[in-house]
Each structure stands twice: as structure tokens, then as C-alpha cells.
Amino acid sequence: MQLKKLRKLLNELTVTEKVGQLIQLSGEFFESSNDIVVGPEQKLGISPKIVNLSGSVLNVAGAKKTREIQDRYMAKSKHHIPLLFMADIIYGYKTIYPIPLGLGATWNTKLIRDAYKNTASEAKASGVQVAFAPMVDLVRDPRWGRVLESTGEDPYLNSQFSSSMVEGLQNGLNEGHGMASCIKHFAAYGAAESGKEYNTTDMSEYRLRNQYLPSYKAAVDSGVKMVMTSFNSLNGVPATANEWLMKKVLREEWGFEGVLISDYAAVSELVAHGIAEDNRMATQQALKATVDIDMKSPCYANELEPLLENGSISEEKVNEAVWRVLKLKNELGLFEDPYRGASEQAERHELVSKKRRELARKVADRAMVLLKNQNNILPLNKNQKIALIGPYADSQELIGLWAVHGNTKDVISISQAFREHVTKQNLKIAEGTNILENKEILNNTGISSDEQKSFVLTHEEESQKNQEAIEAAKNADVVVMVLGEHTLESGEAGSKTNLTLPDNQLKLLEKIRSLNKKIVLVVISGRPLVLSNIEPQVDAIIQAWFPGTEGGHAVADVIFGGFNPSGRLSMSFPYSVGQLPIYYNHFSTGRSPETSKHSTRYTAKYIDTPVKPLYPFGFGLSYHHAIYSNLRLNKKTMNKEDNIKVSVDIRNDSEVAGEETVQLYIRDVVGSIVRPVKELKSFKKVALPANSTITVSFEVTNDMLKFYGRDLNYESEPGNFEIFVGNNSETDLKEKFSLIDE
Ligand code: GLC
């Protein structure tokens, strides 16, 4: 529709119709064909009248269902304004990819852009027009369950993925393809104190701007259509009422003109935060912060009109919000085609197709991170006698908590994939125990006591399962143990303080170890677990995350050598939960254990735990062996206009070809504020042929040296710098240069 006509439409709306466009309700309000759905309205405390006027709905998907709802909605819509369907499509719609922490481990933004482009095609066929994705929160504390949804701890890597995911989802949007992306959660939700869900975040503006905001800004610079506010308070003001964050930073500084939606009930939660006395005050605060859509709270529905009537807010502000919503619907072509091409026929063609499975497998292969491979026990030989032991052996629960619309029935289990590689005679499979038996966790995950019964085994059942596993392992040459945390233990409201594998699984591992077999551990989890106690007990470790629809195939591809693992961690694995938050790009402090002249005791460390993580950011092993050497710069000084060429030689002295993720880090040795000991500034993925040496080069530019300094200006500061290149953040291959001001 032409904007002039759209503006005319806006001007024809009554106040109530305008308010309706600023409300998002959940599916139960729309799914029954009769007009009044009393239960949900009463529960939410809104009038039936406003339901039929609400402008968008969350987490309804499926061509048949969305078309029926749209037809009913439009038939009652005086101005024929289509309903907007939004859903949590975080890492796949029906074809589910690895969780974003695994996608981050691919360091392959081009591949992930393609995955999100494919996701948008699937979701569009099912009538979903906006994805509440990507989640681009920076995370440093795996106690927080939502690290699952993040690509990790680094501002630069997260920014690269943020852009690629938004571009993937919104690819071809103007030509009627793709879907709108809604990034979340703005802002700094990942810094929740003590990793506790929905908790306070509080940090200097230096830290916020230099570390936590870049990935959101990258999405805005990539044209993201929508932003979701975060639940947390940030420096004393909840994001959903934070005018500084939403108006000054997001809209004025970054020029974001899209739709701002609250997180679920976050407007009404301003009262619980203690920043608003009641829903009316909360409504006023959220609108002042330019929140356009109130997701699933009664605030805008009940309070906007009274606030307009008593003059507390202007109709101009409401019009601005409605205009942004109508503009988005118009950009999506909904006035011309309210279904955007959704059809059951399109679904049959698009959903979980053979090509999409191949892509999901390709991504999952690259998300796997090989953390240990003692004596090169991996890859396994298919003629070996293999015992596949553990509660994840036959499980199809490999898609994680936020695969909201995925179907575990589509998942390739690890045992199914193993059977494609190993003969029946050479493969024994036994679960050995359950995934989750901890009653306290079960009680806190919201599942009913009846459902819990299937989780907890009696002592006899546990012994029986253990014994079956021991029998299966007895005659094996090697045992592959597939252990990990349950889906319900991670994702939203999945914060934990104990990050080791559960006792029942550790007991099983101990019994298998007593057989003196080689053990390969495969970890299924939505977060970095603390593996330091079991690391010495196994010969190899593969971090598989929740690997998605093709997860079983990807695990087998790595284990049997069909794929040479190339994954590199995008989040540190702590040695102990007591180290948290732990991250590589930390400040030096006045007493670094590496450089301080004080005696060891009096340095920045613990007396009972190493100061380093078990596995650092950027780390991962491969089946080839890469040696980095001869790091060199084409000059030792640069000014703000020119750059420096950095080169490094990489030798593969093995018979196996592979892929290297060459990482370039920079340290600003002296700044107007303290600076991280290292910061990722570039990376390249390069093919490394067997028995070969290649040279990889980078350009160091002035832009790489910019940061928000003492005066909060974003610029580089002359002085000395160090450059590090290697295959993980602990590389000590270093050179120096200076930035001069001339
Ligand atoms: C949830 C999450 C958010 C999600 C929204 C809609 O509480 O915080 O990530 O998109 O509600 O389901």
C-alpha cells in the first residue's frame, strides 16, 4: 500500500482501534472460532472488545491455523488491517539447527546466514511473519540458562553473527521473501547478576557500550525490523521503561525506526520492579520509552485510553507507535496478501525437506567442538567393537528448549546414526541411566508430579540399567558415552548453580571406567558444563550442544571421521563454577598472575582453583595438526588513515586435510580506561590441505582500535598495541605495533 494511503488509514482509526494495534496476545485468544474467549480475557483482565482489535499474536504457526485465524480476524476488521503473526523461531522452525551457542562455535557467518534464510522460508510457508530472533545478548555466565540462545562471550563475534542471522531471516523481504527479524533482549540481559534468571544488570557505560551493546547495534545496522525489550533492570531502570536506552541510544543515536516490542508481560512487570506504582504508570513509562507493542499484558489495552483522556500522554505519541506497526505490516505486504503465501502446499514443499536436512547436518557437523583427543583415539574405526552407553544414546531430545515449533520425531538419534556406520555385531547400545533424576530440579522445571515419575528410577531399576550398560561395555574395544543435561535444565528459567554432570550419570561413568576401556565422552548440553573432574577420566570429549534435527548424524560424522571437527568455542568452559563470570577478554588488573612482580600469593588469582578456564574462548581440536609460526607485520607503526598487514604461516604436518579458524586478537596496552588483555578483531576460516603450509594475512585498521574511552567518545587512542594470532584466545604468538597521531 502506498504510504499516503497508509497514513490516511491511520487517520481513520478510532482511538480504540489504534490501541488495538499496540497489543499482542497469545494464540488462545484467537484459536477458537467463537468471538468471546472468556478464560484468557478474564485471566489477563482485558475486555473482549479489545481482543478482536489486537494487532498481533505470538507463537501461532501452521498454514491452516494461521489462515483460519487471519480469515476470522479480517472478517471482523472494519479497516481490514491484517493480524501480524510472530513466533520464537530462534535456531530453526521445523528443521532445527544446533542451539546458537553451537552455531557460534562454527565461526561461519556465511553458513549461518544461509541457515536463517532457510528457516525464514520454512516459517513463512507456515504463516509466521516475524521471528523473535536472533537473541544477541552477550553472555559470560553459564549459570544462566539462556546462554543456550546466545553465540557467546565476544562482542565482535556476536556482532558478526547478529548481522548474518538478521540478514538471513530478512533476505529478500522487499521481494516478498523471508520474514522480519526481532532481535532480543535489549539490553544486557545476559549480564544478569549471579546468572540468576530475570535478575538485575548493572554496569558502567564503558562496559555497556564497549562489550554488551555492539551486537544489538550490528543488527540495527543490518536493517533489523524489530527490537524486543529485556526483562532486566539496567543500571537501576528496567529496560522496558528505560528512555535513555530506547530513545537516546536505540532510536536517536542508532537511528532505529522500527517497532519496539516489550518482552512477555514486561510492561506490567514494571510494577513488580518497583519503578511504577500501577499499570497506568507502567503504561505511561513504556510509551515514553517508545515501546510500541505491549506483549501479553493488560497495560496498553486498559490504560492507554484513560491516559489519553486525562492528557497524560498525547495522541501523537500513540500515532507514532501505531504508524511503526502499520508500516511493518505494509513492508511485509500484508495488505496485499495477509497470508504472505502461507499454504499447506508450501509447507509440504518447504518443511524439513531433504535439502534442509543436509544443511542442518552441515551446520551441526561444524558446531561440534572436539575438546580432548588423547592419543588420537578419534576418529574411531568402524570395525572396532563399540558400546554406545548413556541416556542420550537413543534419545531424540536433541533440539533444546527453544526449538518451540520443532518436532523431536524428526530428529536423528545418535544410535540411529551409529547403526548407519557400524554393523549390528560390533555395536552394543545401553542407556545405563536416565538423563534427569534430580527431584529438586524436576520440581523447579514446572513439570507435574505425574510426569516426574517417568524421570526417577527406583534403586532396583537404576541398578538394572547400570548393569545392562556394564554388560554392553564389557566386550567393547571402546565406549562412547553420551551424557549431558536435560532440555528442561537450560533455556529460559533454566539457571543452575551446579554445572557438573548429574550424580546418576557420574556414577555410571565410574562403573564403566572400572572396566578399563577407552572412553569417548559426548556432551549434550545447552551451556558450558564444568567438566574438570571428569576430563582426566576419559580419552576424548566432544561438546555436541543440543545439535538439532540432524544431531545424531553430526555426532557420528565426527566420531567416525566423516567430518574433521572444526568447531571452536565461542564461550569459555569454566574450571569451576566459582570462577564465574569467566571470559577471555578481561582486564589485566594491577596484579596479573602472569606479569606481576609481587610474590605469587599476592596476585589476581584464587588459592584453591586455577585462574584460567578449563577450555578457553576460541579453543577446539581437529584431526589435523596445525602449527602457527612466523607472525609478521609489514610495518611497526601506523596512523589513523592507514593500516598494517599482518601475516602468519600455518603448517599442517598431518595426513588429514582440515579447516582452521585463524583468530586475530589485539591488545591496547595503554588506554584512557583499562583495556582488555585481548580482543578478537578478525578471523578467517581457511582450508588447510594435508602436509602443507599456507600463509594467512589480515589488515589491521584504525576502526579495529576504536573504543568508548574515558570521555565516552568512540575513537582510537595513539599508543602501543600487541597483536596475537592463533587458533584460540590463549595464543601467545605475538607481535607489536604503535598507532601514531600525525
Ligand atoms: C519469553 C522470552 C522471549 C520470547 C517471548 C515470547 O519470555 O523472554 O525471548 O521471545 O517471551 O515467547
Side-chain angles (χ1 to χ4, degrees):
M1 182 189 293
Q2 284 183 352
L3 290 183
K4 195 165 56 173
K5 206 173 159 205
L6 194 68
R7 180 63 71 178
K8 182 170 176 295
L9 169 62
L10 172 58
N11 296 333
E12 288 166 358
L13 299 181
T14 65
V15 169
T16 307
E17 287 166 335
K18 288 176 184 176
V19 168
Q21 288 302 311
L22 307 185
I23 295 163
Q24 180 169 99
L25 298 176
S26 38
E28 72 269 19
F29 285 88
F30 298 89
E31 281 167 2
S32 80
S33 54
N34 62 35
D35 269 2
I36 310 299
V37 189
V38 180
E41 280 141 14
Q42 273 180 346
K43 194 170 162 213
L44 191 60
I46 59 175
S47 73
K49 179 183 65 159
I50 202 74
V51 170
N52 293 330
L53 294 173
S54 68
S56 62
V57 59
L58 83 139
N59 278 331
V60 171
K64 187 170 183 302
K65 185 185 286 188
T66 54
R67 290 181 73 102
E68 282 170 359
I69 290 174
Q70 190 71 281
D71 288 341
R72 283 202 299 273
Y73 180 87
M74 294 283 279
K76 286 180 283 193
S77 166
K78 184 176 144 204
H79 298 279
H80 302 295
I81 302 173
L83 186 64
L84 190 53
F85 291 82
M86 307 190 196
D88 289 297
I89 297 173
I90 322 283
Y91 48 96
Y93 171 58
K94 291 295 182 186
T95 304
I96 304 298
Y97 297 93
I99 59 170
L101 213 43
L103 302 179
T106 68
W107 293 58
N108 191 330
T109 53
K110 185 171 175 297
L111 177 66
I112 301 312
R113 179 183 294 107
D114 192 27
Y116 278 67
K117 180 181 167 196
N118 277 271
T119 292
S121 301
E122 283 199 335
K124 181 172 179 291
S126 283
V128 183
Q129 298 139 3
V130 180
F132 291 138
M135 183 272 218
V136 297
D137 305 336
L138 182 134
V139 293
R140 293 169 158 169
D141 191 332
R143 290 174 294 181
W144 190 49
R146 303 195 78 163
V147 300
L148 170 149
E149 302 169 56
S150 165
T151 51
E153 70 190 47
D154 182 75
Y156 175 75
L157 187 61
N158 286 353
S159 298
Q160 299 298 304
F161 277 113
S162 172
S163 298
S164 67
M165 291 170 173
V166 168
E167 288 159 7
L169 288 171
Q170 297 188 165
N171 184 282
L173 203 63
N174 298 332
E175 294 79 43
H177 305 298
M179 67 195 309
S181 162
C182 174
I183 58 158
K184 61 191 185 183
H185 308 78
F186 193 61
Y189 183 16
E193 267 179 18
S194 49
K196 188 167 67 177
E197 185 56 284
Y198 311 122
N199 205 8
T200 308
T201 65
D202 208 293
M203 63 184 74
S204 71
E205 193 173 340
Y206 299 126
R207 182 181 291 263
L208 182 66
R209 286 184 176 277
N210 285 318
Q211 297 166 15
Y212 282 86
L213 292 186
S215 52
Y216 304 106
K217 183 169 188 308
V220 171
D221 293 345
S222 295
V224 72
K225 294 297 178 187
M226 192 181 288
V227 173
M228 183 186 294
T229 71
S230 57
F231 286 121
N232 54 290
S233 64
L234 175 61
N235 297 342
V237 181
T240 307
N242 197 315
E243 282 184 70
W244 175 83
L245 189 62
M246 301 303 171
K247 278 180 71 176
K248 182 175 182 311
V249 176
L250 180 64
R251 294 201 187 275
E252 290 161 19
E253 272 187 41
W254 296 356
F256 177 68
E257 296 178 342
V259 174
L260 184 57
I261 186 169
S262 77
D263 201 338
Y264 195 101
V267 176
S268 56
E269 288 176 7
L270 295 175
V271 179
H273 271 289
I275 200 86
E277 280 169 11
D278 53 26
N279 281 352
R280 184 157 302 181
M281 191 173 177
T283 301
Q284 190 170 0
Q285 290 173 348
L287 193 75
K288 274 185 78 179
T290 73
V291 174
D292 299 313
I293 298 179
D294 172 10
M295 183 197 292
K296 200 69 190 301
S297 110
C299 291
Y300 278 27
N302 296 339
E303 307 301 342
L304 275 178
E305 287 198 58
L307 286 166
L308 281 165
E309 282 152 17
N310 71 23
S312 301
I313 57 173
S314 69
E315 188 158 356
E316 183 206 346
K317 288 298 170 206
V318 170
N319 288 346
E320 284 171 12
V322 178
W323 177 247
R324 287 189 284 261
V325 173
L326 292 179
K327 219 156 45 86
L328 176 59
K329 293 184 175 184
N330 196 42
E331 284 177 270
L332 288 166
L334 294 180
F335 289 99
E336 289 72 34
D337 174 6
Y339 315 118
R340 279 195 93 234
S343 72
E344 290 178 272
Q345 184 196 355
E347 286 183 315
R348 281 191 293 276
H349 176 257
E350 297 285 349
L351 304 189
V352 201
S353 64
K354 182 172 178 298
K355 269 186 67 182
R356 294 230 156 91
R357 275 190 178 275
E358 286 164 2
L359 179 60
R361 183 170 183 169
K362 183 178 176 183
V363 172
D365 283 344
R366 287 154 181 77
M368 299 283 143
V369 185
L370 181 60
L371 297 173
K372 180 177 183 181
N373 190 19
Q374 190 164 280
N375 304 324
N376 295 324
I377 180 179
L378 289 175
L380 296 185
N381 177 318
K382 299 181 183 181
N383 301 319
Q384 290 174 287
K385 287 188 172 30
I386 295 168
L388 179 62
I389 307 285
Y392 270 109
D394 285 324
S395 172
Q396 290 182 288
E397 298 290 337
L398 299 178
I399 58 177
L401 188 83
W402 267 116
V404 178
H405 302 280
N407 192 333
T408 52
K409 292 186 184 60
D410 294 329
V411 171
I412 302 294
S413 69
I414 295 171
S415 57
Q416 181 182 340
F418 268 50
R419 289 192 185 95
E420 293 171 9
H421 288 272
V422 186
T423 61
K424 214 170 161 49
Q425 293 69 23
N426 285 347
L427 178 62
K428 296 281 180 274
I429 299 170
E431 282 190 332
T433 184
N434 276 356
I435 298 171
L436 172 60
E437 299 184 353
N438 180 308
K439 290 201 174 72
E440 186 180 5
I441 293 177
L442 284 166
N443 284 330
N444 283 316
T445 45
I447 55 176
S448 71
S449 46
D450 270 354
E451 282 174 298
Q452 289 186 32
K453 286 182 185 128
S454 66
F455 283 79
V456 184
L457 301 174
T458 63
H459 181 71
E460 293 69 27
E461 287 167 335
E462 187 77 27
S463 304
Q464 170 67 23
K465 271 182 169 279
N466 281 190
Q467 195 50 42
E468 285 164 7
I470 290 165
E471 288 309 312
K474 257 187 186 148
N475 302 319
D477 300 321
V478 63
V479 178
V480 177
M481 292 204 75
V482 281
L483 307 175
E485 62 179 353
H486 193 276
T487 295
L488 291 171
E489 295 182 79
S490 71
E492 182 172 0
S495 292
K496 295 199 303 189
T497 59
N498 176 356
L499 301 185
T500 58
L501 286 168
D503 290 345
N504 61 300
Q505 293 183 29
L506 293 174
K507 284 194 184 97
L508 175 66
L509 175 60
E510 206 172 318
K511 289 182 178 175
I512 299 298
R513 277 195 73 238
S514 64
L515 302 174
N516 288 321
K517 299 287 180 182
K518 295 287 184 202
I519 297 176
V520 174
L521 172 64
V522 177
V523 180
I524 305 294
S525 70
R527 59 172 30 105
L529 294 178
V530 172
L531 303 173
S532 36
N533 294 340
I534 55 175
E535 190 276 339
Q537 300 176 39
V538 297
D539 300 275
I541 301 175
I542 295 172
Q543 174 63 30
W545 315 106
F546 285 107
T549 305
E550 283 290 316
H553 276 149
V555 169
D557 288 345
V558 169
I559 283 191
F560 294 107
F563 183 77
N564 173 5
S566 59
R568 300 289 183 262
L569 295 178
S570 63
M571 185 175 186
S572 305
F573 271 55
Y575 187 90
S576 152
V577 80
Q579 294 176 316
L580 298 177
I582 190 165
Y583 46 99
Y584 86 94
N585 39 8
H586 58 80
F587 299 136
S588 166
T589 77
R591 296 197 177 190
S592 157
E594 284 93 23
T595 57
S596 173
K597 295 196 174 24
H598 290 272
S599 67
T600 313
R601 179 189 175 97
Y602 301 96
T603 56
K605 63 171 184 35
Y606 307 99
I607 58 172
D608 62 350
T609 298
V611 74
K612 294 272 187 197
L614 181 64
Y615 301 113
F617 174 85
F619 177 78
L621 301 175
S622 298
Y623 295 147
H624 64 268
H625 181 234
I627 302 147
Y628 286 62
S629 65
N630 194 14
L631 177 63
R632 54 204 184 271
L633 313 182
N634 68 338
K635 54 188 175 186
K636 292 290 187 179
T637 59
M638 65 180 267
N639 60 39
K640 294 192 176 185
E641 280 65 52
D642 65 18
N643 52 41
I644 285 181
K645 184 177 178 183
V646 181
S647 300
V648 67
D649 295 339
I650 307 174
R651 168 146 188 74
N652 176 4
D653 64 357
S654 76
E655 301 297 324
V656 181
E659 182 176 73
E660 274 296 296
T661 302
V662 188
Q663 302 158 36
L664 181 138
Y665 297 88
I666 289 180
R667 176 178 191 171
D668 185 348
V669 180
V670 177
S672 57
I673 57 169
V674 292
R675 309 283 291 119
V677 294
K678 270 192 188 112
E679 293 179 285
L680 180 72
K681 290 297 180 183
S682 187
F683 61 89
K684 286 186 177 177
K685 298 190 74 72
V686 294
L688 194 54
N691 296 314
S692 68
T693 299
I694 62 170
T695 297
V696 178
S697 298
F698 296 87
E699 295 289 335
V700 173
T701 64
N702 185 55
D703 278 350
M704 288 182 181
L705 311 180
K706 290 182 177 176
F707 67 104
Y708 289 92
R710 183 85 66 96
D711 53 9
L712 281 175
N713 289 331
Y714 185 64
E715 56 197 20
S716 59
E717 296 177 358
N720 297 328
F721 293 80
E722 294 172 340
I723 279 189
F724 304 80
V725 176
N727 56 10
N728 73 75
S729 58
E730 289 185 356
T731 178
D732 53 11
L733 190 58
K734 175 171 83 173
E735 271 299 336
K736 300 180 178 181
F737 74 92
S738 301
L739 174 68
I740 53 177
D741 215 356
E742 64 175 22

